[in-house]
Amino acid sequence: MKRNAFSVIMATNKENAIWKEAVEAETSTFKQNKGRRKAPFYKVLQGMPIAVDAFRYGKIPGVTAYFLTHAHSDHYTNLSSKWANGLIYCSQETADLIIHVLNVDPKWVKPLQNDVPTTIPSTGGVRVTVIEANHCPGSSIFLFEGLQTANAGDGSFTSPFIGSSRTFRYLHCGDFRASPRHVLHPAIKGKNLNHVYLDTTYLDPKYTFPPQPQVIAACAELAQRLSTLYSHSKGPGNDVQASTVSCTGVAPKSLGKTLVVIGSVSTLLPERWTYSVGKERVVGAVAKRLGAKVYCDARKAGVLRCQSDPELIAMLTSDPREACVHIVPLSLISAERLKGYADSWRDTFTRVVGLRPTGWTFSPPSGAGLVTDISSMLTKAQHRQFTWQDLRQMKGSNVNLQVYAVPYSEHSSFFELTCFALSVEWEKMIATVNIGSEASRAKMNRWFDCWKKEKAKRNEHIVQYRDIDYW
Ligand SMILES: [Zn+2]
């Protein structure tokens, strides 16, 4: 094994001590640290005065640049109109969102152009490349390149590489859904990555779910079939007649129209509205296939308008009766709760189809979770296909109100994490999710070791993929 910064600081006997300190920092109270929570080591890049998704720690000692991967609340915690601790770097869409929704003063927000390496001021010359994360609109992964010039942060470790002439490369993945596009990106392909900060949300073989583009296509296909003339007794099978009753179509009056309701926005909290970005791809694909308008409340529409999706923005309408696709809070999408919603539009829509996109409630195929060897797991996963026929109706559905669970994830599956790890050159993986317990960290470390060994065995540098957008 190469002697590198991390093998020095993370020698097994030290690793747990460093994580222990990080967990203590994360759970520390304001009182213990004079009104400020301490930032754990993985929030500040080693040897660089840069923090990522670290807004809940106030002004972190030595940090001169704050990066935000995306506008999900667990990543921007504490970011508000009161922020005054330093410049925030992020994608243009994320910048628009935090200014529009969180009222962050624009003078602190520095949007960066995707895919163009940019030198960040006051960081000792660190260059960053912003790359689309394939998570939610505006989400990014960051590739940082530069020298180690400062021991910033609250950790007690000091890097031995400060002042050395060695260039370090860190890939921060925030939240992402790994795809071949990432590993083929010119900033990543063939480059030696010293640290990869990995979105380990689903780093467990039990998390097998279909590629997102297949799921999106399945939703669009299902919505179209259910909006099409068919015999009620037979359901939306292959025997569907071809004549479509779309929003704009000419269905016989007696059959009426179908409303597709898609869960996306979060619910309202008593004091502060929590907005949500994500799931837009399902909405866009379904509406496009149906040739339909999209309705959502004014606040969600405001959020959508911050996003660079002109096609979706053009489909928006403020008239719910004009739209065959509605975006509603995810919590509303159950047969029981959707009934009331369906009733309120009965004068216009005779049938309601609910789509509940969520990454958490799928049931994995039997046998998933048992990985005896990585190669056969990859082959098996690459042969799985997902079509509209795999979408399952939820409990309580009937002919006029059908609710479907959609296995839609905006994080990488275990299979995708494995493909990603086998396709990039890395020295050290740093988990950023499920890190609270020693047992969970040890379990993830075993997979990192497994990937290292498998990578050493393989001839191919990039795991063969089915499509540029998924393995
Ligand atoms: Zn997220």
Side-chain angles (χ1 to χ4, degrees), residues 221-256:
E221 178 74 21
L222 178 83
Q224 188 181 31
R225 283 173 181 265
L226 291 174
S227 301
T228 299
L229 287 175
Y230 68 95
S231 149
H232 283 183
S233 59
K234 285 178 183 163
N238 286 321
D239 48 352
V240 168
Q241 300 289 307
S243 52
T244 301
V245 184
S246 76
C247 256
T248 50
V250 283
K253 251 198 166 138
S254 60
L255 283 165

Side-chain angles (χ1 to χ4, degrees), residues 263-275:
S264 169
V265 287
S266 299
T267 43
L268 293 162
L269 286 178
E271 278 165 24
R272 192 162 147 231
W273 182 64
T274 60
Y275 77 98

Side-chain angles (χ1 to χ4, degrees), residues 69-75 135-136 139 174-176 277 410-411:
T69 57
H70 65 294
H72 276 160
S73 60
D74 47 337
H75 293 257
H135 175 62
C136 66
S139 59
D175 282 350
F176 83 137
V277 286
E410 289 174 332
H411 298 270

Side-chain angles (χ1 to χ4, degrees), residues 278-310:
K279 325 273 178 7
E280 284 81 356
R281 289 178 186 173
V282 178
V283 176
V286 168
K288 199 173 161 187
R289 180 72 76 92
L290 297 179
K293 290 263 179 213
V294 175
Y295 166 77
C296 57
D297 68 28
R299 297 184 103 157
K300 174 72 180 181
V303 169
L304 290 176
R305 283 183 218 284
C306 286
Q307 300 167 12
S308 56
D309 189 346

Side-chain angles (χ1 to χ4, degrees), residues 176-184 198 203 374-375 377-382 412-426 429 447 451 454-455 458 460-467 470-471:
F176 83 137
R177 186 143 187 189
S179 86
R181 272 189 205 281
H182 291 128
V183 303
L184 293 167
L198 194 66
L203 181 51
I374 286 185
S375 260
M377 184 272 286
L378 295 184
T379 313
K380 227 194 273 170
Q382 288 193 314
S412 315
S413 65
F414 177 79
F415 160 67
E416 287 161 339
L417 286 172
T418 303
C419 291
F420 174 80
L422 297 180
S423 304
V424 292
E425 308 305 317
W426 54 277
M429 289 284 175
W447 286 118
W451 290 342
E454 179 68 21
K455 199 165 163 47
R458 300 173 77 89
E460 55 182 17
H461 288 293
I462 292 175
V463 175
Q464 250 185 24
Y465 48 88
R466 290 182 274 181
D467 187 286
Y470 61 93
W471 271 287

